[in-house]
Amino acid sequence: MAIGKMRKQQEMLQNPVLRAYLPETHWMTDSSTLRMLKNYSTVFIKPDQGSGGSGIIRVKRLRGGYEVRCGPSQKIVGAGAVIKAIHSYRKPRHRYLVQRGLRLAKYHRMIFDIRVYLQKPKNHWIIAGMAARVAAPHKFVTNYLKGGHAEPLQKVLLSIFHNNQTKVDACYRKIEGLSMTIARTINKWHLINELGVDLAIDENGRIWIIEANSHPGHRLFTQLPDRTMIRTIMENKRSIGKKP
């Protein structure tokens, strides 16, 4: 079974370097959800097991109530009915976590995040690919399976930092350093050779760790005009497959 989101979150929290980049996250209970909604204008409720953006519920505070949305479906409810609305979208017998929502920077008025694809074809981690994942219009998740598409990371960072190459270079270094630290941290507890790290940048230019996926998909990188990253990923996959 894949490593759950909360377990990886707790492992990353043990690293003091990573702790400041992790948005507040708890196991989802009625009381923890209400507490998070009191503190933040938006929260995300995610299945602990799962990928591709499936089953994620967004709860957004409105004047006098809440918008509860899952996929294309949404409900506008009062404060007294918000928990019932959330439960209507939950799958039975699945554990969920509740995470602080972030005010993300936008690229052409659409939210985006950053997928870093790390691999360990020999005995040390390397970054094989980095790309921006831009959400489809009116979507709140960026995943490929939910209509998200890849853009070259340099192009997106130049856009949000208004062509300031110094800021872009500093952001690149931070992304690379955080991703390598995440891979080494999670690798302490689990024998893995690939990791997909998802990072986000908020409206103030601050970087956040969204999650780390121990079974990352690579199709996103097939959308980039430069084929270098997908070739590197596939070459490393072959090397990993030959490991004794």
Side-chain angles (χ1 to χ4, degrees):
M1 182 179 286
I3 311 159
K5 292 182 177 66
M6 182 59 89
R7 184 169 175 185
K8 286 176 286 192
Q9 175 88 1
Q10 291 168 341
E11 289 164 357
M12 288 188 284
L13 278 169
Q14 293 186 47
N15 187 321
V17 173
L18 301 178
R19 202 173 296 145
Y21 298 91
L22 290 160
E24 185 178 353
T25 306
H26 303 281
W27 283 117
M28 189 246 166
T29 64
D30 292 356
S31 60
S32 68
T33 303
L34 290 172
R35 187 169 63 252
M36 290 283 275
L37 285 170
K38 185 178 178 182
N39 292 335
Y40 304 111
S41 59
T42 303
V43 302
F44 287 91
I45 295 163
K46 304 178 179 182
D48 183 51
Q49 296 281 353
S51 60
S54 296
I56 295 177
I57 304 162
R58 185 186 72 180
V59 187
K60 188 175 181 180
R61 190 190 302 150
L62 307 173
R63 186 173 293 176
Y66 292 93
E67 176 197 81
V68 183
R69 187 173 165 193
C70 185
S73 176
Q74 70 173 32
K75 298 177 181 181
I76 307 297
V77 296
V82 66
I83 294 298
K84 183 178 179 182
I86 291 167
H87 282 293
S88 73
Y89 289 125
R90 287 185 57 182
K91 294 179 181 177
R93 295 182 298 278
H94 283 63
R95 295 193 82 183
Y96 285 74
L97 49 88
V98 55
Q99 187 173 76
R100 169 189 176 177
L102 303 168
R103 296 178 69 88
L104 297 181
K106 292 183 178 179
Y107 175 71
H108 293 171
R109 298 192 297 277
M110 289 175 282
I111 64 165
F112 74 93
D113 62 15
I114 297 158
R115 165 54 65 94
V116 183
Y117 202 114
L118 298 104
Q119 295 175 299
K120 194 171 61 172
K122 294 183 180 176
N123 296 316
H124 61 278
W125 287 99
I126 63 165
I127 294 174
M130 294 197 296
R133 296 189 305 184
V134 182
H138 314 299
K139 293 286 181 74
F140 61 83
V141 294
T142 61
N143 304 72
Y144 178 90
L145 295 175
K146 300 297 180 182
H149 72 276
E151 289 284 356
L153 184 55
Q154 174 86 356
K155 177 181 173 185
V156 173
L157 294 182
L158 279 170
S159 174
I160 67 164
F161 290 122
H162 309 293
N163 292 312
N164 186 323
Q165 189 66 53
T166 301
K167 286 187 176 181
V168 170
D169 292 344
C171 188
Y172 254 99
R173 288 193 296 272
K174 179 65 75 176
I175 290 167
E176 289 172 341
L178 277 174
S179 299
M180 293 293 281
T181 302
I182 291 166
R184 291 173 185 138
T185 299
I186 292 175
N187 206 182
K188 284 182 182 178
W189 286 275
H190 310 285
L191 184 63
I192 54 173
N193 295 306
E194 293 191 302
L195 193 71
V197 170
D198 295 335
L199 304 172
I201 300 176
D202 70 17
E203 291 176 339
N204 298 316
R206 181 176 174 180
I207 297 174
W208 294 88
I209 301 167
I210 303 302
E211 63 181 80
N213 188 337
S214 50
H215 295 281
H218 61 267
R219 282 187 292 178
L220 180 80
F221 293 91
T222 65
Q223 297 182 330
L224 294 174
D226 184 343
R227 305 287 295 175
T228 306
M229 290 181 188
I230 189 62
R231 281 198 293 265
T232 300
I233 289 167
M234 299 313 293
E235 279 177 23
N236 288 336
K237 279 183 174 290
R238 286 190 285 272
S239 296
I240 290 165
K242 293 173 186 173
K243 275 189 172 183

